[in-house]
């Protein structure tokens, strides 16, 4: 089958523009696959993933997965990458992962709105990202790596104490932060010229 690469227990189906997981993929490979790479597709749903009961690694980068993402129970899954998708509700995703992927140790969410880093928005800074890491570790305390960065002992301790209070505000509120950011207030020339013209009008 074109596009399918199988090497031992590793299965790749990359860049095939598929919107859902092909049924034959699960039928032919689900019983032995431990690593599944479905990156660079057009996936909006993960229906059909339940055929892959023994998965340990799942790569879903560069798809169209959003907040309605549903994973089946994957008790052996230790690595999940969801980079560059369309996930914005962090808490909803983490609660779901805590339930269906109890063995998860490596998670990467870079390039999603839910992950506040420079890939998504220049307004986000290191402090936003630290809060995000703290909240993720509060929800998923067994993680060893988050976004390709190792989880430190200090981060783990902070998540225990402060993680619950580090909930990242949903991006919908970002329009408010734009209005109050210094860059937006700093418009000397246009505002000055506006004042001049209004004065002239008043005279």
């Amino acid at each position: 089958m074109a596009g399918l690469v199988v090497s031992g227990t590793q299965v790749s189906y990359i860049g095939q523009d598929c919107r859902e997981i092909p049924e034959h993929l699960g039928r032919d490979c689900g019983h032995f696959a431990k690593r599944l790479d479905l990156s660079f597709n057009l996936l909006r749903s993960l229906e059909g993933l339940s055929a892959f009961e023994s998965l340990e690694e799942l790569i879903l980068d560069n798809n169209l997965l959003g907040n309605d993402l549903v994973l089946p129970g994957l008790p052996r899954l230790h690595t999940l990458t969801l980079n560059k998708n369309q996930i914005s509700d962090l808490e909803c995703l983490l609660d779901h992962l805590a339930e269906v992927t109890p063995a998860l140790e490596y998670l990467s969410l870079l390039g999603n709105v839910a992950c506040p880093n420079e890939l998504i928005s220049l307004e986000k800074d290191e402090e936003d990202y630290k809060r995000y890491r703290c909240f993720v570790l509060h929800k998923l305390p067994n993680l060893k790596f988050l976004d390709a960065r190792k989880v430190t002992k200090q981060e783990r301790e902070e998540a225990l104490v402060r993680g619950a209070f580090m909930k990242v505000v949903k991006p919908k509120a970002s329009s408010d932060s734009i209005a109050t950011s210094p860059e937006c207030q700093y418009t000397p020339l246009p505002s000055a010229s506006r004042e001049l013209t209004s004065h002239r009008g008043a005279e």
Side-chain angles (χ1 to χ4, degrees), residues 130-194:
K130 279 181 186 171
R131 287 172 63 89
Y132 150 85
R133 285 180 70 87
C134 194
F135 185 66
V136 173
L137 293 172
H138 161 67
K139 290 283 189 179
L140 301 174
N142 295 327
L143 285 187
K144 292 182 177 173
F145 281 84
L146 175 59
D147 302 334
R149 196 191 289 184
K150 193 171 183 179
V151 174
T152 65
K153 185 170 179 249
Q154 185 183 347
E155 282 181 315
R156 208 176 288 287
E157 287 168 358
E158 188 173 5
L160 277 172
V161 180
R162 301 170 60 210
F165 309 105
M166 292 292 171
K167 186 173 174 180
V168 179
V169 179
K170 280 190 192 165
K172 286 170 191 164
S174 65
S175 56
D176 300 336
S177 62
I178 290 167
T180 55
S181 70
E183 294 89 345
C184 295
Q185 290 173 354
Y186 188 62
T187 51
L189 219 99
S191 59
S193 58
R194 275 201 298 273

Side-chain angles (χ1 to χ4, degrees), residues 23-146:
E23 199 178 315
H24 55 77
L25 201 61
R27 191 176 58 239
D28 299 343
C29 308
H31 58 288
F32 67 83
K34 290 189 176 178
R35 183 182 196 273
L36 179 61
D37 189 339
L38 295 170
S39 50
F40 293 95
N41 281 293
L42 301 170
L43 294 175
R44 291 180 184 274
S45 159
L46 295 176
E47 197 175 336
L49 199 59
S50 51
F52 294 84
E53 293 176 359
S54 304
L55 275 189
E56 296 176 7
E57 290 183 65
L58 180 57
I59 317 297
L60 295 167
D61 301 344
N62 293 275
N63 276 286
L64 301 173
L65 297 165
N67 294 332
D68 54 354
L69 164 79
V70 177
L71 285 163
L74 296 169
R76 298 181 192 174
L77 194 77
H78 57 70
T79 298
L80 174 63
T81 72
L82 285 160
N83 300 314
K84 296 193 177 176
N85 276 278
Q86 298 179 351
I87 298 162
S88 60
D89 191 334
L90 182 63
E91 187 169 22
C92 179
L93 173 70
L94 298 177
D95 286 341
H96 181 53
L97 293 181
E99 193 180 322
V100 297
T101 57
L104 197 64
E105 294 182 344
Y106 179 109
L107 174 66
S108 192
L109 298 173
L110 292 168
N112 286 281
V113 177
C115 174
N117 71 329
E118 293 79 13
L119 275 177
I120 282 293
S121 170
L122 293 171
E123 292 166 40
K124 304 297 179 187
D125 59 20
E126 187 62 25
E127 205 52 46
D128 289 313
Y129 187 63
K130 279 181 186 171
R131 287 172 63 89
Y132 150 85
R133 285 180 70 87
C134 194
F135 185 66
V136 173
L137 293 172
H138 161 67
K139 290 283 189 179
L140 301 174
N142 295 327
L143 285 187
K144 292 182 177 173
F145 281 84
L146 175 59

